[in-house]
Amino acid sequence: MHFEQQSSGYSAGSSAAGSGDNANAVLKPITVKLVKAEKELREKQATQDISALIAKPSAYKIDSGDVLSIVVWDHPELSNSATTAIAGYGGAGADAAVTATTAPPAGFMVDHEGVIQFPYAGTLKVSGLTQDQAANLLSSKLSRYLRNPKVTLRVQSYRSKRVYVDGEVKNPGLQAINDIPMTLVEAINRAGGVLPTGDQSQVVVNRSGVNYQVNLPQLVQRGVNPSTIMLRDGDVVRVRSRDESKVFVSGEVVSPRALPMHNGRLTLNEALGESGGVNPLSGDGSQIYVIRRSGTDQIVYQLDGRSPGALAMAENFELDPKDVVYVAATPLANWHRAISLILPSALSGAVGAVTPATNK
């Protein structure tokens, strides 16, 4: 592979040059000015707009499927049915995820129309009300028959709203929304946290068919609290794997490999270091390239590793997912390989013939 400094394209042999499928590659030397410009561009480029996900916590609103526990003080005959639970089922919010997939405990279940049936009060529409609002509504209904009724109404089983957490978390699955505000951080923590193989910079929240990309480390750096991201019923959270964002290092390095990024960040210096560095026998330190696709075109960045401060620039040059880092071979290494392919036996014989003369 050979790149022309003065050309905006590249040449990789006559066969590649004659192919119409190859997009033009713009060659950009990696300099201090370029590194600074790239850094400023990254700071200006925000992730996908997540303003639709940011909201203030609000009180839990009752909905269809919830089971209510209702106690009317000094009237146990009205409260017995709400306080007796079926054996084997819990009613606390901590057990909501388990209760959501099992039979509901005894109580007043909100039907599909959002109403409950209560003695003396009759039919009450509680869907969309908070617990306090529903208690006040029931108290006003009972005041026709009871003097100053005191009502305690609580959600016994949260079964109406849920989110799904998938991907690189310890315990993927359904998470029921209860009286504790369901933020993105809360949902991930309830799922056991992100695994070491998970990428915190690649968290996707799907809401109503729209994917929102959330970069948690970047939000923290910008002073945005991830706890302000509120989830709603039906949201799907997926934590992607680090293997989905890799950088490929090839060419004349000690150990060519595909490297996963560290929470969305990997510098050129780190990529070369984790690959063992430039091969001292065959690598050309002046021809270190980073090939990056930009739309239909490609951008090729070149680093001259022999120049002073090259390692400092490489440390500040951040890579993107799917970047290819390529180290070209020296002219001598290319010549040696060409001769070895053309005359493999003659080259080895020449080396063997010279060896005895050297030992004399």
Side-chain angles (χ1 to χ4, degrees):
M1 183 178 292
H2 177 70
F3 292 89
E4 297 290 346
Q5 284 280 7
Q6 70 274 11
S7 175
S8 61
Y10 73 93
S11 60
S14 58
S15 60
S19 175
D21 296 335
N22 291 324
N24 291 329
V26 180
L27 183 63
K28 295 183 178 181
I30 298 178
T31 61
V32 177
K33 184 178 180 180
L34 175 68
V35 172
K36 184 179 179 181
E38 289 284 328
K39 184 178 180 180
E40 293 177 352
L41 182 61
R42 287 179 180 274
E43 293 177 352
K44 291 180 180 179
Q45 287 179 342
T47 55
Q48 183 176 357
D49 185 16
I50 59 173
S51 58
L53 303 178
I54 297 178
K56 294 183 178 180
S58 58
Y60 180 84
K61 293 185 178 181
I62 303 170
D63 209 340
S64 300
D66 287 338
V67 179
L68 307 181
S69 172
I70 303 175
V71 176
V72 182
W73 292 79
D74 298 328
H75 292 276
E77 72 280 3
L78 301 179
S79 306
N80 287 338
S81 59
T83 57
T84 303
I86 298 176
Y89 297 104
D95 299 329
V98 178
T99 307
T101 57
T102 58
F108 298 91
M109 187 173 70
V110 184
D111 64 13
H112 65 282
E113 294 182 352
V115 302
I116 61 172
Q117 302 288 337
F118 195 82
Y120 298 116
T123 301
L124 291 177
K125 185 172 180 62
V126 295
S127 178
L129 301 180
T130 64
Q131 298 179 83
D132 293 339
Q133 290 173 343
N136 293 334
L137 176 62
L138 178 57
S139 178
S140 64
K141 294 288 186 179
L142 293 177
S143 62
R144 300 177 182 178
Y145 309 97
L146 304 177
R147 180 178 298 176
N148 297 325
K150 295 182 180 179
V151 177
T152 299
L153 185 148
R154 293 291 179 265
V155 178
Q156 186 172 347
S157 181
Y158 297 89
R159 304 172 68 245
S160 62
K161 304 178 182 68
R162 62 190 69 182
V163 299
Y164 188 80
V165 183
D166 189 19
E168 299 301 313
V169 292
K170 186 176 181 180
N171 301 310
L174 290 173
Q175 300 293 334
I177 299 177
N178 53 24
D179 55 332
I180 300 176
M182 181 62 78
T183 64
L184 177 60
V185 177
E186 177 72 17
I188 293 176
N189 287 337
R190 290 189 191 182
V194 180
L195 295 175
T197 56
D199 189 349
Q200 297 186 25
S201 67
Q202 296 286 336
V203 180
V204 180
V205 179
N206 182 280
R207 174 175 295 175
S208 301
V210 180
N211 288 331
Y212 297 90
Q213 187 78 28
V214 180
N215 188 328
L216 293 178
Q218 188 181 73
L219 289 180
V220 174
Q221 290 178 357
R222 294 180 177 178
V224 179
N225 189 351
S227 297
T228 58
I229 299 178
M230 302 295 301
L231 300 181
R232 298 177 183 174
D233 178 33
D235 285 352
V236 178
V237 178
R238 185 175 188 273
V239 181
R240 291 181 176 173
S241 173
R242 292 174 56 194
D243 292 337
E244 298 183 26
S245 300
K246 285 187 175 182
V247 171
F248 305 95
V249 184
S250 61
E252 302 305 317
V253 292
V254 176
S255 301
R257 62 183 63 187
L259 299 174
M261 305 187 75
H262 307 293
N263 288 329
R265 186 181 184 276
L266 187 70
T267 65
L268 177 57
N269 204 23
E270 292 172 341
L272 292 174
E274 294 187 27
S275 302
V278 179
N279 193 323
L281 300 179
S282 59
D284 187 352
S286 65
Q287 296 190 66
I288 302 175
Y289 300 100
V290 177
I291 298 95
R292 177 176 302 166
R293 179 170 294 276
S294 177
T296 57
D297 296 331
Q298 294 183 9
I299 302 177
V300 179
Y301 300 93
Q302 181 182 6
L303 174 68
D304 186 355
R306 302 173 304 177
S307 63
L311 294 180
M313 288 188 293
E315 177 61 27
N316 293 323
F317 186 83
E318 294 191 20
L319 302 175
D320 287 346
K322 308 301 182 181
D323 277 356
V324 177
V325 179
Y326 179 82
V327 180
T330 61
L332 180 60
N334 288 327
W335 176 85
H336 180 272
R337 290 168 183 169
I339 296 299
S340 299
L341 292 174
I342 298 173
L343 302 170
S345 58
L347 183 61
S348 60
V351 174
V354 174
T355 302
T358 306
N359 293 335
K360 292 180 179 182

